[in-house]
Structure formats: C-alpha cells, structure tokens
Amino acid sequence: MTNILISPEKLLSGKHVEGERMEFKKGWNPVSTMRSICAFANDFENEDSGYIVIGVEEKNGRPVRPVRGFDPDKFEQIQQELIGYCNLIQPSYFPRLSLEEIDNKNVLVIWVPAGSNRPYKVPDDVTSKHKTYNYRIRQYSSSVIPNIEQEAELVQLTAKIPFDDRVNSNAKVDDLNFGLMREHLAQTKSRLYSESAKMSIEELADAMNLSHGAKEHLFPKNVGLLMFSENPAKYFEGVQIDVVEFPNGLGGKEFNEKIFTGPIQKQLTDTLSYLKTNIIKSKVIKYDDREKADKVFNYPYPAIEEALANAVYHRNYELRDPIEVRVLPSKIEIISYNGIDPSLKQTDFEKGVVRTRRYRNRRIGGFLKELGLTEGRGTGIPIIYKSMKENGSPKPLFDTDAPNRSFFVVEFPIFPNFHEDDNDGGAIGGAIGGAIGGAIELTERQNEILELIIKNKKIAYREIAEILGINNSAVQAHIDTLKEKGILKRVGGTRGHWEVING
C-alpha cells in the first residue's frame, strides 16, 4: 500500500486533478473499475495519473460531501481481488492502492500512473466466464472503447513515452535528492511525508513513481532528475530560465541578465519572485470626475505567472535552449522552445480558447498542479486574457514561426502610458502613433518593425529578424500585413527603401 502524493482534500477539490482524471464510486465495482484502470493506464492524451476513489458518491461530476466512506476491513480482500483482475490486463498492469482519511472516514484511492507498456486491453467484464477484450481510453469522464482511428493512434503511442516519464540510464537513483522529494510531499500535504522519514531513497523514489526497473537495474526517471535533483543541468543542458532586461530596447547595447537554475519548480518560483519584486510595478490613477482611484500594474502578475508556468510545463527538455524572459521598455516577452503543438492554430490563441491535443510533459504537469503552480488543462490562455483585461492592459500577443513551430513567444504589452514620466517618449506606441496618426491598431511586433524601419529605411529583413530574435518568414508575414493595412510600402525594389505612410 502506498499513500498518494497529495492530500485527499486536495484530490477531491478538483483544483489539482482535473475531472477527466477522477472517478468516484459509491462502492467496490470490479467491472467498471477495471475498465477505468485500463483507460487511465493507456493515458491516451498524456495527462498523467488517474484516480479512482471508492467510498465517495458523485453528483453532477462532483463528489458528495461528507463522503460515504469505505470499510477498511475489506481492504485486504479487495486488494487480492484486484491483483487477480489486474493479471487479466494485457500486458499486465498493477495500480497503487491507498487508504486515505477524509471527513473522518476512510476512502480507498486507486492511483493509476500512466503505463510504460501501453496499449493495454482489459475484458469488458472481468467477472464473466467468457471474456471479450478491448482497449479502453478516457473520453471526458468516461472509460470507453476507442473507435478505429483512436485505436490506431493508441497503438502508435506504444513507443512514445513522454520524455519526462522516460527512464534515464545515465543517472542513478542516488542522484535524486531525498530532502527535495520530502519537501514536495510536505507542500502537497501527502500522508506519505510522515512515512517517508523511515524510507530509503530507493523506496521513496518507487513510492513517488520516480524510478523504474529491477533492484539491480534501478534507474531514475527524467522527471525525478528535473524536479528532485540539486542540479538538473548536469543531466539536461540548458535547463534554466534567463531573465534579460533591455532598458534601451533590443537595439541598445546595454542589458542585464539573471539566470535561475536548480530544480525546475524552484526555477519557476524564484523567477516569479524576482519579477514580482523587481519588474512588476503599480501606480494609482486619480480622476477629476470621481472620488475612487484605480490601482493598475505595468504588467498583471497573474498573467506573467501563468505564461511562465506554462513555459516550464510545456518546453522541450531534450533541447538545449533555456526559457527566456525579455524585459523591454514597452513589453515583456516569454520565449520557450520548441514551439506549440502543430494541431494548434494562431487563431486559437487570438480567440483565447486553446486546448492542446496531447501534452508533452505529463509528469511535470502533474507535479506542478499538485503544487498549485499551474492550472487545469485549457485554462492558461483564458487566465492570461482575463488578467490583462481586468488590469486595463492591451491584449497579449502570441507568436510562433509557422510552419516549423520551433519556438513560442508570449508578449505582454505594458499598461498604456505607465512610465512615470509621461513625456519620456519610451513607449514604442508613442513614436509609431505619431507616424501613422494612431488610427490603425497594430500588434506590438508590428510596432517594433515600424520603429526599426523609421530609424533605418534601408533595413533588410535579415537585420530585422536578428534584432527581434525571430526568423525571416515571421518578418515577411508582419510586413505583408503592414502593407495590406496601407501603412508601409517599398520604394525602388530590392535596392530601394521602406516608406511609412502617414495616417
């Protein structure tokens, strides 16, 4: 028996584990339970673990409180039954069982980590004499038989274990830090925290599903090294967050750089703390026609927090490129590698409704959610839009280098006229607004391109791309848009110059 990694109160709250990964049962029902175990083990959308909670009734997808409870005297009997039923899964798969206490009653939690030998099949009825086997996947909050296309896709996932859940044979379990692992359990209020004091590091790594293999060939998983080793960069080059401040813009020579290293969750919290203390500023706006003043921020912290957490969650840890936070006079950029999933379109981000098809780092996402550092699936972009709107800030901008999708940038424009000296001319929008009459709404990237062209009418695509840190095709797309809006034109062909048209 192994305790789950978060408290049962957090588990039932729905804030740390999405409804699709939860199933509540009034009592022990082996037929439906085994179907769900198979579906969670297949982890069709790379969402990480699933949980089946026995002793809790459900109403409209939510647990009924106080809980009904589970008789602990039946634990050993059900455990033996479950072992027999799990041997029927092809290939065999065994979840983890935990007796947890909530509302002063016991509940049985079956923790189902994503399997490493998918796809799995299970009998439709494990109790029947004649058994018919089928694959099972999760579809919303149900465990269903996949259709032909889904089954083919599931089979293709056999060799596609997400990078963070893979075993790392170049490291040892001893490379994990016992203290960091226990710190996580303390923060998530897991009962395993008190039990872990008597465990060896090998036992705790197994209990937290951070290792795999026989005792003589036991290796840590990548997620363990990324989150619970003192120096992840020893195993994954470039695993860091760089905060680079350009007080005079990208064209200026002066910049300040601060690098955050260590376990990735610490990188995230340390970077956020630095930004909150040193970059995020507030000011009070008073009005002549009303008594109540408004407090606004140059950048709303919740939006920055969500974007950076998503960058840590979704970045490709096989690449050597660090996450970069660029702090410019008129905006903050958060850049991560590689880019977004090809299934996502630019229009998805512009609409503010994004739901990725399959998650790159299922285990990292699970741990970050347990810590409350990131929200449930599909909520990040709406939170960013909502925070910017509530602060009165311009809309965030999202950019990638289609069709390669090798990077992803989230841009946060500064609150309008936030600079302490309103006549400092530091805002790009002020310079460009004067040039085109301020009548046409442009993106921050388009404003930057126009500013560079105003300074140098003969600037080349390549130079613009290098200064802004984007590729030539992205520059071409933005310039084409400026031409279509009647703001920019080319005079004299390839050896000519740019001309900004006054509004």
Side-chain angles (χ1 to χ4, degrees), residues 1-6 8 11 51-54 70 75 79 82 95-101 106-111 190-192 195:
M1 183 175 71
T2 301
N3 289 113
I4 56 176
L5 304 187
I6 60 174
L11 184 65
Y51 298 87
I52 302 166
V53 188
I54 298 172
F70 170 82
F75 177 81
Q79 186 179 41
L82 195 61
R96 303 175 181 221
L97 273 65
S98 177
L99 266 181
E100 301 286 341
E101 186 176 311
N106 288 292
V107 295
L108 175 63
V109 179
I110 303 176
W111 173 26
S190 169
R191 286 175 58 191
L192 183 58
E195 294 184 11

Side-chain angles (χ1 to χ4, degrees), residues 3 24 26 34 59 83-84 88 93-94 102 110 136 142 157 175 194 231 235 279 301 324 352 358 398 431 453 471 473:
N3 289 113
F24 302 105
K26 179 179 175 181
M34 292 309 301
K59 186 175 181 181
I83 290 172
L88 296 174
Y93 173 91
F94 298 92
I102 191 165
I110 303 176
R136 293 276 170 174
S142 300
L157 290 173
D175 292 326
S194 57
N231 183 21
Y235 314 97
I279 306 300
Y301 176 76
E324 185 175 349
R358 186 163 282 117
F398 303 90
I453 288 171
N471 64 15
S473 60

